[in-house]
């Protein structure tokens, strides 16, 4: 039983604990130092660049004055500014009018592809506002029903759906061009009355089953989750592990308390903005619906220089060429969607503040706990160092929280592959054409082989590009990693995470207080009409609607802009006033960025000072826990491991070949995709593996992985028990075919091949290995030579 004491005793008790107070001070100092270093480095360089541009503008001004061109330059610049201003104002009017039309049309998804409705969530037993679409391939693109279908789940985080298929070079486009049928999960702006995330999860499960029914000859569907669609996919697979294929999780936060001190200020919102109580209050003001515009505003405040100034100046600076791109993106950015109070409450309580999903404590509904260990499908995680919304720590630390180490991942038969981009931003993960052509394209092409990987933790590396344009190809490899490598991403420092435990506990108390004492009063004051009025005056909407044609002050803009288009005026790029304008614009953006950086520094220092205090550590002690992990020494005693080890000397040709492939993979420490493709082809197209079926093959790979993991030497010695003398040459030839040319092998791989041959009483390797698949062409040396 935990001892109790009064608050009077608290200072005396914790005065002795200098480590907690010292840690708080150290964290604040570390955070402040990192912020100051970043401010000095980035703004120092930008300030130097400013003065260089200032000198160039001053010199251009002096040269124009000396050449008596100053008045002409000023006149042409003034005419151009007026023209660009009118056209920019007209585009802002178009944006507002487009928003109104988009909303009147029901805020359809912003997909650039045609689609057909497959299943409407409103027709399910528990209605939801989700819809399953099948993407219609564009002309000249053919898909095949026997290929794995894709289901793309877009984030429902304030915006509408469609960002994953926003461009032709996108997740949708990559999958279509590879011949895969593509389905897209979209949603209407308003949820169905009483809708919960458990209802959404059931609907998603029904959608996946519908896809599987439409493609009976293909493997289970690939689920792609973008941002919050990623945790939705993980929830779906945790609750329904038998229906999903591989999961691709892009920029998805799963460990919400994680991050790096001195960076990632968004994770502090729960502690500094009121936690769950403020969300419930906003939902009550919306008459039971939480307005997605609140979430969008938070995203915009992360980068105010870009969102409130730079994107508008970029449009103003190149108004002719920037119009279409600006309006296209803003149609998605301004399509605000809603959630029920139950939905946003679960998200904040279980994820954002409580961080329960990563720690294995989240419940989608009463009595139904979600555990990532239940997932059996391969998981591919795509994160980026340039992502200020979902940093790599939040995308990856769930692995550390879920598994004791990489051995447990193997024992569970799981394959987890992660990839960290160097610089792309959060939205760029989903919409960047360059990312689609490289990372998403390589992930898609790898999907056909991913399940041939031995269970374990891998980092996917893309390197050595060859070719140009559509023929560009990359060398892809999968390097084995340890759970400790994930911790290194977080610099082995998660010391600030206990601070969030106090946030979680105080958030619960604040929500209870609001629910008991304030909520009845707030709800009695809100009507559907007042909720609608408050939505209309939300700053995120008002800043757009003010430029609408409905505003009488904008009545003249369309006519004036049309006249401006007919009389184009071009100003020279070296016009001193143009240089001065660009200089002014860069200074405004830098000023806003400096304000943001100083705000973030104060934001983090305030959070760490408040919640890093010893008293707050005491407040959050009951919420500061990690899920119980098995001791690594106990993993061998797990039922899965014991059952597999009993079969170490049992089996036949299939077990022996799979075991030898796993031994080679372990010896290499990494797997190149070309070898993985040969392995996957053999296991899925050649006998005796074809007759086994996908589920039996997966079971064999899982079992043999455990045997190799715990009894490597005995696994080699007992190979002779699995193969008849006549089968040995053929079995070794098949794995040598997968291994490839001997000159491309690492010494450890060659050594393992020699050990296998010795265990099977075969002659050592001499020069060339099998260059053709011996299981495909049949038996006989003469036939092998002829095929070669």
């Amino acid at each position: 039983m935990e001892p109790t004491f009064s608050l009077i005793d608290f200072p005396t008790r914790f005065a002795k604990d200098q480590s907690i107070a010292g840690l708080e001070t150290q964290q604040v100092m570390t955070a402040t130092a990192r912020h100051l270093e970043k401010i000095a480095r980035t703004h120092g360089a930008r300030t130097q660049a400013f003065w260089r541009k200032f000198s160039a503008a001053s010199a251009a001004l002096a040269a124009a004055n000396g050449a008596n061109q100053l008045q002409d330059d000023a006149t042409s610049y003034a005419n151009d500014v007026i023209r660009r201003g009118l056209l920019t104002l007209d585009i802002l009017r178009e944006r507002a009018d487009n928003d109104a039309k988009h909303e009147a049309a029901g805020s359809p998804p912003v997909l650039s592809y045609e689609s057909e409705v497959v299943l409407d969530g409103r027709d399910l037993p528990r209605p939801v506002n989700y819809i399953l679409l099948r993407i219609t391939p564009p002309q000249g693109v053919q898909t095949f029903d026997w290929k794995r279908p894709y289901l793309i789940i877009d984030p429902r985080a304030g915006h509408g759906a469609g960002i994953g298929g926003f461009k032709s070079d996108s997740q949708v486009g990559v999958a279509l061009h590879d011949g895969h049928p593509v389905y897209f999960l979209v949603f209407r702006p308003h949820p169905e009355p009483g809708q919960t995330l458990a209802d959404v999860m059931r609907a998603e499960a029904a959608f996946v089953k519908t896809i599987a029914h439409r493609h009976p000859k293909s493997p289970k569907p690939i689920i792609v989750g973008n941002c919050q669609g990623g945790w939705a996919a993980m929830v779906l697979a945790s609750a329904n592990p038998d229906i999903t294929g591989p999961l691709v999780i892009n920029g998805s936060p799963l460990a919400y308390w994680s991050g790096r001190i001195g960076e990632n200020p968004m994770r502090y919102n729960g502690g500094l903005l009121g936690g769950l109580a403020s969300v419930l209050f906003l939902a009550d003001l919306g008459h039971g619906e939480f307005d997605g515009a609140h979430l969008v505003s938070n995203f915009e405040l992360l980068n105010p220089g870009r969102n409130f100034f730079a994107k508008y100046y970029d449009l103003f600076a190149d108004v002719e060429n920037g119009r279409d791109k600006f309006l296209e993106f803003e149609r998605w950015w301004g399509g605000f969607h809603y959630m029920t109070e139950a939905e946003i409450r679960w998200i904040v309580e279980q994820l954002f503040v409580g961080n329960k999903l990563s720690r294995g404590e989240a419940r989608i509904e009463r009595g139904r706990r979600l555990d990532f260990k239940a997932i059996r499908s391969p998981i591919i995680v795509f994160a980026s160092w340039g992502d200020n919304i979902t940093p790599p720590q939040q995308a990856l630390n769930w692995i550390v929280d879920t598994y004791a180490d990489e051995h447990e991942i193997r024992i569970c038969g799981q394959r987890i592959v992660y990839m960290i981009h160097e610089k792309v931003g959060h939205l760029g993960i989903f919409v960047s054409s360059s990312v689609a052509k490289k990372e998403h394209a390589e992930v898609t092409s790898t999907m056909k082989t991913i399940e041939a990987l031995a269970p374990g933790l891998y980092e996917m590396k893309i390197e050595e590009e060859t070719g140009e344009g559509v023929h560009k190809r990359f060398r892809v490899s999968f390097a084995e990693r340890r759970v400790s490598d994930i911790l290194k991403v977080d610099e082995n420092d998660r010391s600030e995470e206990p601070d969030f435990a106090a946030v979680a506990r105080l958030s619960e108390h604040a929500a209870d207080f609001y629910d008991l004492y304030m909520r009845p009063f707030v709800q009695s004051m809100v009507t559907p009409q007042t909720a609608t009025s408050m939505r209309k005056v939300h700053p995120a909407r008002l800043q757009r609607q003010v430029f609408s044609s409905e505003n009488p002050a904008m009545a003249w803009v369309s006519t004036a802009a049309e006249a401006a288009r007919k009389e184009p005026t071009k100003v020279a790029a070296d016009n001193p006033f143009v240089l001065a304008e660009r200089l002014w614009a860069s200074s405004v953006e830098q000023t806003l960025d400096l304000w943001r950086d100083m705000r973030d520094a104060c934001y983090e220092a305030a959070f760490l000072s408040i919640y890093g205090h010893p008293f707050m550590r005491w407040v959050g002690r009951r919420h500061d826990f990690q899920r119980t992990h098995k001791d690594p020494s106990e993993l061998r005693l797990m039922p899965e491991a014991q059952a597999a080890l009993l079969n170490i000397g049992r089996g036949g040709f299939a077990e022996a070949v799979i075991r030898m492939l796993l031994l080679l993979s372990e010896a290499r420490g990494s797997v190149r995709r070309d070898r993985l493709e040969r392995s996957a082809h053999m296991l899925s197209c050649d006998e005796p593996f074809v007759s086994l079926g996908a589920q039996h093959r997966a079971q064999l790979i899982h079992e043999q992985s455990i045997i190799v993991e715990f009894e490597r030497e005995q696994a080699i010695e007992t190979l002779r028990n699995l193969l008849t003398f006549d089968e040995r040459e053929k079995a070794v030839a098949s794995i040598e075919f997968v291994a490839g040319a001997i000159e491309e092998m690492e010494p450890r791989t060659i050594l393992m091949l020699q050990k296998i041959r010795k265990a099977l009483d075969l002659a050592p390797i001499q020069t060339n290995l099998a260059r053709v698949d011996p299981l495909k062409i049949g038996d006989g040396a003469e036939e092998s030579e002829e095929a070669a």
Side-chain angles (χ1 to χ4, degrees), residues 220-242:
K220 295 176 182 178
I222 295 169
I223 315 296
V224 179
N226 295 327
C227 187
Q228 292 202 46
W231 63 250
M234 294 288 279
V235 166
L236 169 66
S238 298
N240 306 273
D242 57 323

Side-chain angles (χ1 to χ4, degrees), residues 536-556:
K536 288 182 177 180
V537 298
H538 191 286
R541 288 188 180 85
L542 206 57
Q543 65 174 329
R544 306 166 77 92
Q545 293 172 354
V546 70
F547 297 103
S548 170
S549 296
E550 296 180 2
N551 182 354
M554 295 290 292
W556 59 277

Side-chain angles (χ1 to χ4, degrees), residues 169 437-438 441-442 465-474:
D169 291 326
K437 291 175 181 177
K438 183 179 180 183
E442 297 307 318
E465 64 181 59
T466 59
E468 296 293 336
V470 296
H471 302 292
K472 183 178 289 188
R473 294 293 180 268
F474 300 88

Side-chain angles (χ1 to χ4, degrees), residues 385-459:
W385 288 113
D387 190 342
N388 64 340
I389 293 177
T390 305
Q393 296 90 342
Q394 289 188 12
L396 296 174
N397 275 353
W398 66 271
I399 302 171
V400 180
D401 293 339
T402 302
Y403 297 98
D405 58 18
E406 62 280 358
H407 302 288
E408 186 176 7
I409 296 176
R410 296 189 191 113
I411 292 171
C412 291
Q414 181 56 277
R415 301 161 184 83
I416 302 175
V417 180
Y418 69 91
M419 177 171 50
I420 305 179
H421 197 279
E422 286 299 321
K423 60 182 180 180
V424 69
H426 185 71
L427 287 178
I429 292 176
F430 324 130
V431 303
S432 170
S433 296
S434 61
V435 171
K437 291 175 181 177
K438 183 179 180 183
E439 280 77 10
H440 290 308
E442 297 307 318
V443 167
T444 298
S445 64
T446 300
M447 281 302 167
K448 60 177 73 75
T449 61
I450 195 83
E451 288 173 322
L453 270 175
L457 177 64
Y458 300 87
E459 181 178 5

Side-chain angles (χ1 to χ4, degrees), residues 269-287:
N269 282 351
L272 297 178
L273 299 180
L276 180 58
S278 61
V279 171
L280 298 180
F281 174 67
L282 291 173
D284 287 340
L285 291 181
H287 202 257

